[in-house]
Amino acid sequence: MPLENGEERCSCVRKNCERHGDCKACLAHHQKQERFPPYCKRAKRAKKIEKTGER
């Protein structure tokens, strides 16, 4: 069964979080907090252009 991120494993970078891998608890926590969306709901960052050095 896929998680909220559409994958089989949690994409959150906070591996030590007690809610890591528990989408229901994580989404409830972030809904109360309202400051930051969970990592699986954040917009993906554009990759830096490595060869030209542009940002």
Side-chain angles (χ1 to χ4, degrees):
M1 183 168 106
L3 299 173
E4 288 293 320
N5 62 5
E7 298 178 10
E8 294 294 324
R9 63 183 182 91
C10 185
S11 60
C12 182
V13 297
R14 296 184 174 257
K15 306 292 184 200
N16 294 327
C17 177
E18 67 261 7
R19 291 173 294 277
H20 184 78
D22 184 0
C23 288
K24 187 175 180 178
C26 183
L27 292 173
H29 170 76
H30 283 277
Q31 187 175 17
K32 290 178 189 174
Q33 188 182 27
E34 294 184 9
R35 281 182 56 188
F36 301 106
Y39 280 98
C40 62
K41 297 293 185 180
R42 293 182 189 183
K44 305 292 184 209
R45 292 184 185 179
K47 291 183 179 181
K48 291 182 181 178
I49 302 173
E50 297 176 12
K51 293 183 179 180
T52 61
E54 295 178 23
R55 293 182 190 200

